[in-house]
Structure formats: structure tokens, C-alpha cells
Amino acid sequence: MFYKLDAHPIYQWDESRQAINMQEMLANNQPLVTYFEGKPDHYNTKPPLLIWLQVIFMLLTDNPEFAMRLPSAFAAVCTIITLVFFFNATQKKPKWGIFAGLVLVSSFGYTELHSVRTGDFDALVTLWIALIACQYYLDLETEKRKFLYQAAFFFGLAIATKASVPFMLLPFLFIWTILIKKLRFLLFNKALYFAMLIPLTFILVFYFFREAIDPGYLKSAWHNDFYGRFSSAIDNHKESWDFYFFSLFHKRAPYFILSIPLAFPLIYFSKNQAQKKLALFALLFIITFLAIISISKTKIFWYDTPIFPFLAIVVTLNVIFILDCFSKRISLCILSVITASILWFPYHKNLQYISSIPLFDWEKQSHYQPSYLLKSAIDGEIDLQNHTLLTDDVYTPYFNFYITRLAQKKGYTIPIKYNISEMEVNEVFIYYQPHIFGESLKKYNLKEVKKINEFVYFYKKTKE
């Protein structure tokens, strides 16, 4: 989770927006309102818990990439710890929680970009959702009210992280409560209503004060985080209804997705009631959560991240069920083969992917070269004073973050221009997109000033 965590510059889209939110929160000391380019952010309208954590880590490390991604990496570790404690509480076998953790980090969808190794919301909200579900399960099993209060507390943290996502659990929790015939017990227990006050208080306090400070925020949040995202394809993220099923099968969980149909024989034939019940619980979560995000009009591949801890539980229970069919000696051999297979295929493949410092599928190798260059300037390894950045990207916060940091650290900034025609005579500019501006080299009178690497050159106009 932590290997080469800060090696890649801030990614262009969501992560760069969080980076600007963090940077501006540090500058303006306004903890309740996230800002973007000097204005209250009405696009990334999620509550600021993740940004707060990133600000704290930034103050501790002064390493922006590390600070941005540490909350996600720590969330992944805490999710594994949650699985260990949950297996201990429900099966009296914490070692199987460790095995589930191995399955979890071997799942490509869990370690892919925009999850546990980037500065995004998904790993953190996945932790809270896992904790909510586990605590709720234990509450109904033991009837100890402390678990219900803890579930409510984590529900509040989930809202503080990613607004609407924890509400997607409510259909699942309701169906589960009916299945195990605990609805009457729950509804007639006053602890439920006291527990509900925890997330409700957060909602009322945060959203009231944010709207008071930043009028119009509620309308934007309703569109971006709640009804608008569910009822329409925001940013044209429109996919077919089976998008997540194909994504899981072909890319995000190809080795483990078959555990879902295999869980049905476990539920039907297993003589271990604790295993059967937990398998049904995890399977129900996966099915209901996938159904909800599949109904939603806005579909993006990382929205399925919260199912992965439960997929790991199902895989683990399937393995336990298989091993229980054999003698202890044969079971040990089978377990060794299964574990070695996981380590050699998905886990090893994930390690190779992580160590390659990956890009998104739509990005070229040259895409982040200016970011590397700006980082070198911030570290004093190169002087970019009186230079201009030439780019065709209209959304440049992943550059703007470093340009602002350069001004803070070195006292100078560099402008961004979008066409060679905008350049002045003798103005030195950073050139890194030959696939965009290659023809312009012939059209304008340009002189190569310096070659930085195979991707980046400095050019200047010699005359109009």
C-alpha cells in the first residue's frame, strides 16, 4: 500500500482537485469550505474530512504526493485490520481475516488508480462502509448496543467523507434485518433512535454552517453528490446497466468474481451456521450495492470499490468451505496451493503494476512531464524562471498545484499558454506534446534551446 506512494505526480482529474482544495485550505485557514481557484468549490461538494486529513499530513511531511495519498493507504491497512477483527468476532478465526486481507490487496480493482494509492475519497469511504456493516452485523448478533452506536459513528464519518455513499447501505441493512427476523427488535429499541442522532447531528450542523458561509452550496451538493448524480450522467459518465459486472469480470476482479456463484453452494450445503450466515451477509451486500450503482445514471469504474472487502470475505469463506471437506493434512496442502496461486497471479501482478508507476489508460507517457519538471524546480534542481508552459489541456490544476507551490517555495511563477501563436519573440517555453504541436514547429520560426529528456524540450521564437 505504501510502496512508491509518492513517486507519481498529482494525477490530473479528481486527485488534482483535492490537491488544490488542500493547498487553498492551508492558505486561507477556512476548514469548513473547500476552495478551488480562489472560490468556494461547488463541483467537489463532498464534506471535507479527507481534505482535513491531507492537510494534517501535509503539515507533518511537506510532501504533497505523500500527504495526498497517505489517508487512502492507511484506510486500506485499517480495512484489513477490520477484516481480521471481524473474522475473530464471527468465526473465532482471526487468521482467516489475514487471508481475506491478502485477497483484498490482490484484487486489482482495490489497488487500481483512484482507490487505495491515490488521494481520492474511495478507499476511506470503503473503510467506513466496511466498519458500518460489520458493526451492524455484530449488533444484531449480540444485541449489544455498543455496536449500534459504533455503526452510527462510522456512518457519520462516511457522510463526512463521501456524502451520499453510506446511504446506499440502507436498503441492504433493511433487507438483512428482515431476513434474520430482527426488524421488530430493532424498531422497538430506543438505542436505534439515539444512535441515529449521531449522523443526523453531523448532517444538520455541517450542511447548515456550510450553507450559511457559502450560499448556494446545498443546491450544488444535491446535484453533485445526491439526486443529480443518481438521475443523470454527470460529466457524460454514461454506461450500460451491466457496466460494473463486465468491469469486475474482465479487469477489476477477474480471479475472485467467480466466488459469488460459488457462495450459493456454501450457503445451501455448509453445516457451519456461522459461515453460512456470514456468507449470506457479504453476498447480500455485494448484490444490493452493485444493483444500486448499476441503476444510477452516473457510472464510473471506481464506484464499485466498497464491495471489495465483502468480496474478500466471500472468497475466504469459500476457501474455508472447501477445506472443511477434506482431512486436515489434505486441507493444508490445498490451502498452500491456493495461497501460492494468489501470491503468484493476482498479488504479483498487482505489485508489478504498482512498481511501474502507472498512468490512466487515456494518458500518454509525456502527460506528466511538466509536473516532474516543476517538482525539480521546486527542489532547486532546475531554474524555470522566465519560462512558459505550453499545453493543450484546458483543465490544468495538476500543473497549477505545482506552479503555486513553486511561487511559495522559490518566489516566482510561470504562465500557461495554449498555442504557439501566443508566444512572444524570444519567450522560452516548455514543449512536451509533439502529437499536438508537432506541425507548429514547421509553421513558426522556433529554435531549440535545450533538451531535458526524450519528452521535454525548451523552445523559443526567433521572430514572428
Side-chain angles (χ1 to χ4, degrees), residues 22 26 50-61 67:
M22 174 190 74
L26 282 165
L50 174 67
I51 310 302
W52 289 347
L53 294 174
Q54 291 169 336
V55 165
I56 291 169
F57 284 124
M58 187 64 183
L59 291 171
L60 293 174
T61 66

Side-chain angles (χ1 to χ4, degrees), residues 24-32:
E24 299 204 12
M25 188 175 287
L26 282 165
N28 63 27
N29 296 315
Q30 175 53 269
L32 281 182

Side-chain angles (χ1 to χ4, degrees), residues 104 142 391:
L104 181 62
T142 65
T391 182

